[in-house]
């Protein structure tokens, strides 16, 4: 057998999904300030796309959803992902990363984490580093708590900082309406508000996985899932962005089976009965004028992967 040398590609494209949190329970903060979390993530069909092209240095450009709010310096999570893989693999090449954003910035849907996950997959291919999925997961964990989930996608329970993942059993598909706000919420600010609101109250230090959500996912019944949606951060997000209460009320009035703030917000996720029902709920919310933008998406969606 002869083996041919394969020329590395000049450019590679990859995408990674946004997430919503079907359940999020936060314990009291540890000494390092992190809140132990038990969360159920679901990846949804809203994808960040990264094009990685060979270049002299690592640099990033951004287009699409709220591109002007994304830093293009060394703090960009995609740049950090490329630099981390280069360092670990001993690569001295650069890369031009172009991020085509579909996920709202600071929306509680982990768009930056999806950029980082798609970048890991793309530059691994571009540079031919041959990292295993486990190697990429280790790098993802170093980059941020939500990056590992963007790599694996589908539906998973996250513990620790949300970064230790166990796949969840899911039957069927769920149809979501996502009500977006133009003004993002900072995740640390939401956790800070949570601590202030909880002041003096007894909080379970290590919360347990949400049995009702797990059962609903196994049954595939959107009514059950709608009732089980839960987010401990919701009161804090509503405290910082009171207008979200009107979005939630309008979604319930429009017939949503359940409504929850995703992660640290301000995105509100409303569960519909079907794809056509999701479109009806989205249209009703648009007419009510309560959200800045509305999207429909399905979950679960696959994790970060190369595009042809
Ligand atoms: P999470 O739900 O994981 O807390 P989020 O969806 O609320 O995240 P992101 O859109 O991931 O928020 O970004 C949060 C902040 O991170 C932004 O305000 C921005 O300053 C910074 N950031 C760094 N890199 C990126 C990136 N590639 N895309 C978007 N924001 C980025």
């Amino acid at each position: 057998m002869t083996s041919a040398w394969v020329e590395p590609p000049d450019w590679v494209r990859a995408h990674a999904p946004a997430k919503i949190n079907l359940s999020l329970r936060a314990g009291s903060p540890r000494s390092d300030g992190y809140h132990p979390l038990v969360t159920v993530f679901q990846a949804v069909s809203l994808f960040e796309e990264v094009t990685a092209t060979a270049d002299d240095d690592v640099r990033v450009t951004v287009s699409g959803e709220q591109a002007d709010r994304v830093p293009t310096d060394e703090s960009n999570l995609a740049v950090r992902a490329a630099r981390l893989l280069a360092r670990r693999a001993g690569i001295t090449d650069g890369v031009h990363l172009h991020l085509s954003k579909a996920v709202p910035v600071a929306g509680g849907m982990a768009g930056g984490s999806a950029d980082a996950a798609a970048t890991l997959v793309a530059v691994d291919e571009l540079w031919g580093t041959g990292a295993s999925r486990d190697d990429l997961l280790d790098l993802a964990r170093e980059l941020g708590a939500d990056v590992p989930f963007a790599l694996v996608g589908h539906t998973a329970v996250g513990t620790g900082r949300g970064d230790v993942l166990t796949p969840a059993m899911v039957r069927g598909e769920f149809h979501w309406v996502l009500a977006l706000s133009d003004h993002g919420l900072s995740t640390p600010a939401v956790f800070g508000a949570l601590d202030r609101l909880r002041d003096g109250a007894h909080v379970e230090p290590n919360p347990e996985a949400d049995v009702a959500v797990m059962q609903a996912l196994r049954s595939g019944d959107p009514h059950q899932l709608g009732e089980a949606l839960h987010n401990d951060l919701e009161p804090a997000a509503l405290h910082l962005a009171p207008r979200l209460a009107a979005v939630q009320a309008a979604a319930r009035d429009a017939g949503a089976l359940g409504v929850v703030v995703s992660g640290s917000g301000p995105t509100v996720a409303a569960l519909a009965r079907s794809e056509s029902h999701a479109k009806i709920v989205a249209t009703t919310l648009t007419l009510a004028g309560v959200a800045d933008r509305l999207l429909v998406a399905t979950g679960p969606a696959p994790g970060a992967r190369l595009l042809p």
Side-chain angles (χ1 to χ4, degrees):
M1 206 173 85
T2 55
S3 64
W5 181 75
V6 180
E7 180 137 5
D10 290 335
W11 62 275
V12 170
R13 250 175 353 130
H15 76 184
K19 59 82 180 169
I20 53 179
N21 301 78
L22 310 181
S23 165
L24 192 159
R25 298 193 183 265
S28 41
R30 305 184 308 205
S31 53
D32 61 5
Y34 269 108
H35 295 70
L37 298 182
V38 180
T39 185
V40 183
F41 292 113
Q42 180 156 87
V44 294
S45 58
L46 194 62
F47 293 95
E48 297 281 84
E49 201 175 287
V50 175
T51 307
T53 310
D55 207 322
D56 293 340
D57 196 4
V58 177
R59 63 188 184 95
V60 67
T61 50
V62 189
S63 64
E65 187 66 31
Q66 301 174 328
D68 55 331
R69 299 200 193 163
V70 177
T72 51
D73 59 12
E74 293 294 312
S75 70
N76 189 294
L77 262 182
V79 172
R80 290 179 45 213
R83 289 221 187 269
L84 183 62
L85 180 61
R87 213 161 45 241
R88 289 299 151 79
I91 301 283
T92 50
D93 299 359
V95 62
H96 169 208
L97 301 165
H98 182 75
L99 314 182
S100 176
K101 292 196 68 77
V103 181
V105 177
M109 297 187 73
S113 301
D115 294 336
T119 297
L120 287 176
V121 169
V123 293
D124 173 51
E125 176 74 9
L126 183 76
W127 292 333
T129 44
S132 68
R133 209 65 186 173
D134 281 347
D135 294 337
L136 293 184
L137 264 177
D138 287 342
L139 298 179
R141 251 179 229 115
E142 287 185 44
L143 290 164
D146 287 341
V147 185
F149 181 69
L151 209 50
V152 302
H154 300 280
T155 308
V157 179
T159 53
R161 293 184 299 142
D163 56 341
V164 180
L165 299 172
T166 312
M169 281 254 294
V170 180
R171 178 167 298 153
E173 268 196 331
F174 296 93
H175 300 278
W176 298 98
V177 179
L178 305 169
L180 312 183
S181 299
D182 284 343
H183 304 285
L185 279 175
S186 127
T187 304
V190 174
F191 275 101
L194 175 74
D195 292 337
R196 288 194 300 281
L197 290 173
R198 278 176 165 181
D199 186 32
H202 171 73
V203 178
E204 201 53 56
N206 293 301
E208 301 277 323
D210 207 318
V211 177
V213 167
M214 302 305 283
Q215 275 173 354
L217 288 168
R218 275 198 298 273
S219 75
D221 178 357
H223 292 84
Q224 253 191 55
L225 184 61
E227 275 172 32
L229 298 172
H230 174 85
N231 184 358
D232 276 354
L233 295 179
E234 193 164 284
L238 287 169
H239 180 75
L240 296 175
R243 67 186 185 282
L244 297 182
V247 183
Q248 293 188 306
R252 286 194 194 95
D253 288 350
L257 303 176
V259 186
V260 73
V261 169
S262 178
S264 53
T267 300
V268 172
L271 182 59
R273 288 193 299 273
S274 62
E275 193 175 354
S276 54
H277 183 224
K279 287 181 186 154
I280 294 169
V281 173
T283 307
T284 311
L285 291 182
T286 304
L287 294 174
V290 286
D292 292 320
R293 262 155 328 125
L294 285 135
L295 296 173
V296 292
T298 56
R305 57 183 179 171
L306 292 173
L307 294 172

